[in-house]
Each structure stands twice: as structure tokens, then as C-alpha cells.
Amino acid sequence: SIGDVAFGECDELTSVFVEAETPLSITENVFSNRANATLHVPAGSKAAYKAADYWKEFKEIIEEGDTPAPTAKAHYSSDVSAYKVTQVVLPISLNNEQTIAGFQFDLQLPTGISVAKSGDNYLASLTSRASGLSVSVRKLDSGDYRFVVVSSDGNRVTGTEGEVMNITLDIPIDATIGGGTVTLKNIALTAVGSGVNTTLYPDNETSTLTVLDYTLGDVNDDSNINVVDVAAI
């Protein structure tokens, strides 16, 4: 049995694990935060709990062996633009409802564009949202770049939206003028919930990298070569 108001003041309660196949009789006050919590029940007993008074009012009932439905999630890059023979920072953002312990994705860039390097290291840095994690990068045989972000000591991505990483790209002198497609694919997010990790697989996301043309000597980019440009040079 579970006594009245046993968890009545547990406002931070998020998960309840029950091993009884038959729902116990409880009062309305046993779980005051049930509308915001997930109930985990034995295989074959989900229907019984969905029909039982007060048990059925949990936010979600997950039967042993079920895979929790992914909550809203998006992992995407922003549109950016740059001139030839320059570098540009590509921001990578993550919007999530579940707590994220790590993630990975493959970055496909327009032909000729590459991730910048400093020595042997690719230039990719994590923002404050993921400051407790570490990132590794390698170039695949396909020409794409695989980014893997993990934590070795239990740190998590903080917050639910905004930038998590900045990647520096090299724009070569022979880059094609105009817009090219940047694709994040093979995305995998490690979500933490109720002490169990779940892997989420969002759809591919695309953005646009625009390579801008320029006039040699037009320092201030006003499409005119004049004394202002000469003085700047």
C-alpha cells in the first residue's frame, strides 16, 4: 500500500517506477506532481494503469520495453556568408526539451569549402551551454566531417535552446560565388531521462553558406574604388 500524501509535497518528482502489475488503490493526494511526472510500469500492465484512478493522470505511462517518444528537438546550423580567401564561423544550435548528455552529427559542406585547422586540430569550439563537454572532429572518406560531443564526468548541455558550438570554415579563392547548402546529417542526441539514456535521431537539417563576390581593391565593399579605399589600403 501507499499512504495518503506519501509524495504529496514532492513538487520536483519526475519519475515513478512501479513493479506491481496490478495498480494499487491510491488517493488523489499520493502524488501531487503526477501531471508532470512519468510513470514506468511492468510489461503488459500499461492498459490497467491507464484505466486506474489517479495513476492514469500521470503525464506519460511507459511500459517496460517501450521506447519513450522523442520530445521536440532540432539540431541545426545558421545561414552565413563570407568573401573568398576568408574564414567564417558557422554556429550550430540545439533546441531540446529533454536533457542532452551528448550528441554527434556529420557536416556536409559545399564543394571546395572545408573546416579550418590550426596545426592538426580542426577549429570547433563549444559554447557556454556545452562548456562541460568535449568535442572531437574527424574527416570521413566521403569528405564530410564527423563531430562527436561527449562528457566523461556526467556534465550535460544546459538550457533548452541556443548555440552549442561554433565551427570555423575556410573559404578558398576558387570558391563558387553564390549560395551553397550546408547539411547536418546522421544526427544523434543522447537524451537523459528517468536514469535511462535514450538516443534520438532528428531529421537532417540544412542551411545556406553564401560566398560573396568582391571587387579587387574595394576595401569598404561599396562597389566603388575611390580615395577611401586607397587610404584604407
Side-chain angles (χ1 to χ4, degrees), residues 100-103 125-135 148-159 163-164:
I100 302 300
F103 56 86
S125 60
L126 298 172
T127 69
S128 58
R129 285 194 65 197
S131 59
L133 288 76
S134 60
V135 56
V148 179
V149 176
V150 297
S151 170
S152 59
D153 51 9
N155 288 317
R156 305 287 186 255
V157 176
T158 60
E163 295 176 9
V164 290

Side-chain angles (χ1 to χ4, degrees), residues 16-34:
V16 175
F17 291 81
V18 178
E19 295 184 0
E21 295 181 357
T22 301
L24 293 170
S25 177
I26 61 173
T27 66
E28 180 180 7
N29 301 317
V30 169
F31 299 105
S32 61
N33 199 46
R34 60 187 177 277

Side-chain angles (χ1 to χ4, degrees), residues 22-96:
T22 301
L24 293 170
S25 177
I26 61 173
T27 66
E28 180 180 7
N29 301 317
V30 169
F31 299 105
S32 61
N33 199 46
R34 60 187 177 277
N36 299 311
T38 299
L39 176 65
H40 298 260
V41 299
S45 61
K46 184 174 182 177
Y49 279 90
K50 287 180 72 72
D53 288 342
Y54 311 120
W55 293 109
K56 65 185 179 183
E57 296 173 6
F58 274 80
K59 179 182 69 174
E60 184 179 14
I61 300 176
I62 297 176
E63 193 172 272
E64 185 177 310
D66 281 353
T67 300
T71 54
K73 57 193 179 298
H75 205 37
Y76 58 93
S77 55
S78 300
D79 293 341
V80 292
S81 61
Y83 290 100
K84 295 180 178 182
V85 203
T86 62
Q87 293 184 333
V88 64
V89 173
L90 178 70
I92 304 296
S93 297
L94 172 65
N95 290 357
N96 54 287

Side-chain angles (χ1 to χ4, degrees), residues 21-233:
E21 295 181 357
T22 301
L24 293 170
S25 177
I26 61 173
T27 66
E28 180 180 7
N29 301 317
V30 169
F31 299 105
S32 61
N33 199 46
R34 60 187 177 277
N36 299 311
T38 299
L39 176 65
H40 298 260
V41 299
S45 61
K46 184 174 182 177
Y49 279 90
K50 287 180 72 72
D53 288 342
Y54 311 120
W55 293 109
K56 65 185 179 183
E57 296 173 6
F58 274 80
K59 179 182 69 174
E60 184 179 14
I61 300 176
I62 297 176
E63 193 172 272
E64 185 177 310
D66 281 353
T67 300
T71 54
K73 57 193 179 298
H75 205 37
Y76 58 93
S77 55
S78 300
D79 293 341
V80 292
S81 61
Y83 290 100
K84 295 180 178 182
V85 203
T86 62
Q87 293 184 333
V88 64
V89 173
L90 178 70
I92 304 296
S93 297
L94 172 65
N95 290 357
N96 54 287
E97 289 186 359
Q98 292 174 287
T99 300
I100 302 300
F103 56 86
Q104 73 174 52
F105 58 87
D106 293 345
L107 176 67
Q108 183 178 55
L109 297 170
T111 302
I113 309 300
S114 59
V115 176
K117 297 183 76 174
S118 175
D120 293 331
N121 299 317
Y122 289 103
L123 297 181
S125 60
L126 298 172
T127 69
S128 58
R129 285 194 65 197
S131 59
L133 288 76
S134 60
V135 56
S136 62
V137 190
R138 66 185 178 93
K139 191 170 184 179
L140 306 177
D141 292 340
S142 63
D144 299 341
Y145 297 85
R146 176 158 295 171
F147 292 79
V148 179
V149 176
V150 297
S151 170
S152 59
D153 51 9
N155 288 317
R156 305 287 186 255
V157 176
T158 60
T160 57
E161 62 180 32
E163 295 176 9
V164 290
M165 180 189 297
N166 289 305
I167 303 170
T168 302
L169 307 179
D170 274 332
I171 314 299
I173 193 169
D174 58 351
T176 302
I177 300 299
T181 300
V182 173
T183 303
L184 297 188
K185 59 184 184 177
N186 300 326
I187 304 170
L189 310 175
T190 301
V192 180
S194 306
V196 179
N197 288 355
T198 303
T199 303
L200 310 178
Y201 300 99
D203 295 332
N204 293 352
E205 296 283 346
T206 61
S207 62
T208 300
L209 168 61
T210 303
V211 177
L212 304 173
D213 201 359
Y214 62 89
T215 302
L216 190 63
D218 184 12
V219 176
N220 62 353
D221 193 31
D222 64 356
S223 300
N224 294 301
I225 305 297
N226 53 33
V227 67
V228 175
D229 299 295
V230 174
I233 292 170

